[in-house]
Amino acid sequence: MTAAPGSGTSRSPRRIGPFEVPAVGLGCMNLSHAYGVPPTPEAAERLLLAAVEEGVTLFDTAALYGFGANEELVGRVLAGHRERIVLASKCGMAGVDGRRVIDGRPETIRRTADEALARLRTDVIDLYYLHRLDRAVPVEESVGAMAELVEAGKVRALGLSEVSATTLRKAHAVHPVAALQNEYSLWSRNPEQGTLTAARELGVALVAFSPLARGLLTSTPPDPDGLSSGDIRRGMPRFGARHYPANLELRRVLWKIADDVGLTLPQLALAWVLSRGPHVVAIPGTRSVSHLRENMAVLDVEVPGELLASAGRVLNDATVHGARYNEATLAEIDTERCGRAG
């Protein structure tokens, strides 16, 4: 069941396990990984420090991002602000000999955590996610190893990423899960197939990654022909020639809805995600300080529920064109499916 749209957002904090954070955090992946050539170290540092100045407290990284480079970046830049932030990272998927490998074995999780602590320059990770479910390892075993990290004082709270409601419940029975990080936006509605409700029932925060639809709902949508060879969107059906023009047309309608009431399109998109429930937190990523400020400004905006409902009617799992991943990647992911195939 889909949560009913509410009105706007505010600076009231939202809870992730033992932590209270603003409803908008920062996804750090694109500073090192997945979206083509990363920014210079100096530009990435400026962005991270600007985020601290803008009141961001939740910073999200992972062992996979840049094959360790992103954790090193975040650790180096934010070491002096450690007491002011909630530091989140992930295990269970990393770079091995230049390849992305899913590995949820307990011994791998323990080793990855120690490596992350060193790169992040901290003695404890606030929120540690299982990045992907390893289908060769029961989730209970992976989460059991992560629970040992909590007992050892290396991790404060646990999370899961890209898993179903069934897997969430299995993991939560082993150790309380503080956060479930799944893709959630106007064009990626998978959480509405079960995890949005399950998270609320279990007291788990739903942390929405890619809330701006992989850049479609930003001020300048990506040009698929201009994406570099290392940009993961080149392999996503929604950005392919067969589907992207139709998705751009939906974006145009949403832009007008936002512009008519003095909002930017990213602000409308973020407000919609945050209206899904008080347990929802969004972690948009950006390389632009001005876009960062634009995103954070949504915390001071009240958006009428009917406007959010209108946005949701324009772009949803029935109107979006194309699947969110190709079939090979979808086979790796445990989340419920929705949206058009192709």
Side-chain angles (χ1 to χ4, degrees):
M1 180 180 294
T2 303
S7 60
T9 65
S10 71
R11 284 198 176 270
S12 298
R14 299 195 176 189
R15 181 161 290 279
I16 300 178
F19 310 108
E20 286 191 340
V21 298
V24 177
L26 181 68
C28 300
M29 180 180 76
N30 70 357
L31 298 178
S32 307
H33 189 83
Y35 287 93
V37 178
T40 65
E42 295 77 14
E45 179 173 346
R46 283 195 298 271
L47 188 283
L48 289 170
L49 293 178
V52 174
E53 293 176 1
E54 289 299 313
V56 173
T57 61
L58 176 62
F59 290 82
D60 184 271
T61 181
L64 176 71
Y65 303 160
F67 291 6
N70 197 249
E71 286 182 327
E72 291 177 353
L73 168 70
V74 171
R76 174 179 61 81
V77 175
L78 298 182
H81 303 278
R82 184 66 185 89
E83 299 306 312
R84 299 172 56 186
I85 67 174
V86 175
L87 187 57
S89 193
K90 308 178 192 72
C91 62
M93 185 162 64
V96 179
D97 297 329
R99 297 183 302 110
R100 180 177 62 86
V101 174
I102 297 173
D103 186 349
R105 292 175 298 170
E107 59 268 30
T108 302
I109 287 172
R110 288 189 286 266
R111 185 188 72 248
T112 304
D114 287 338
E115 293 169 348
L117 288 165
R119 288 192 289 256
L120 290 167
R121 303 188 186 190
T122 187
D123 57 2
V124 62
I125 299 170
D126 295 318
L127 177 59
Y128 206 40
Y129 292 93
L130 182 67
H131 204 159
R132 289 290 186 274
L133 174 67
D134 183 345
R135 297 190 185 280
V137 180
V139 70
E140 293 89 345
E141 290 186 18
S142 298
V143 173
M146 295 170 72
E148 293 173 4
L149 298 174
V150 176
E151 294 170 4
K154 297 180 178 182
V155 169
R156 290 194 170 105
L158 300 185
L160 302 173
S161 180
E162 289 277 58
V163 302
S164 64
T166 298
T167 299
L168 172 62
R169 293 185 188 278
K170 287 180 180 178
H172 196 72
V174 174
H175 187 280
V177 175
L180 171 62
Q181 186 177 140
N182 280 357
E183 184 173 357
Y184 195 24
S185 67
L186 281 161
W187 83 344
S188 291
R189 303 294 192 93
N190 306 73
E192 295 173 5
Q193 303 301 310
T195 52
L196 185 65
T197 297
R200 184 180 67 245
E201 291 174 351
L202 296 172
V204 175
L206 180 69
V207 178
F209 77 83
S210 295
L212 300 180
R214 305 281 185 179
L216 178 79
L217 302 181
T218 60
S219 56
T220 305
D223 174 9
D225 292 334
L227 297 178
S228 70
S229 60
D231 195 306
I232 59 173
R233 291 171 292 187
R234 290 178 65 91
M236 293 179 174
R238 291 178 180 177
F239 290 95
R242 177 183 171 192
H243 298 300
Y244 196 53
N247 290 327
L248 279 177
E249 178 59 24
L250 295 171
R251 178 195 179 276
R252 185 192 65 78
V253 178
L254 287 171
W255 179 88
K256 187 174 189 311
I257 290 173
D259 189 60
D260 284 348
V261 295
L263 292 174
T264 68
L265 179 56
Q267 288 170 344
L268 175 63
L270 285 171
W272 182 89
V273 170
L274 297 178
S275 75
R276 300 298 89 192
H279 64 308
V280 178
V281 174
I283 51 168
T286 185
R287 298 175 177 179
S288 162
V289 173
S290 62
H291 292 167
L292 167 73
R293 291 171 177 156
E294 178 184 4
N295 293 344
M296 293 303 291
V298 76
L299 298 177
D300 295 318
V301 173
E302 292 296 328
V303 183
E306 180 50 41
L307 189 72
L308 298 173
S310 295
R313 288 191 292 268
V314 171
L315 183 56
N316 55 62
D317 59 337
T319 64
V320 67
H321 291 256
R324 70 186 184 110
Y325 290 123
N326 60 38
E327 281 300 321
T329 303
L330 285 173
E332 296 178 346
I333 295 172
D334 181 56
T335 53
E336 296 86 354
R337 293 197 189 191
C338 68
R340 296 186 185 183

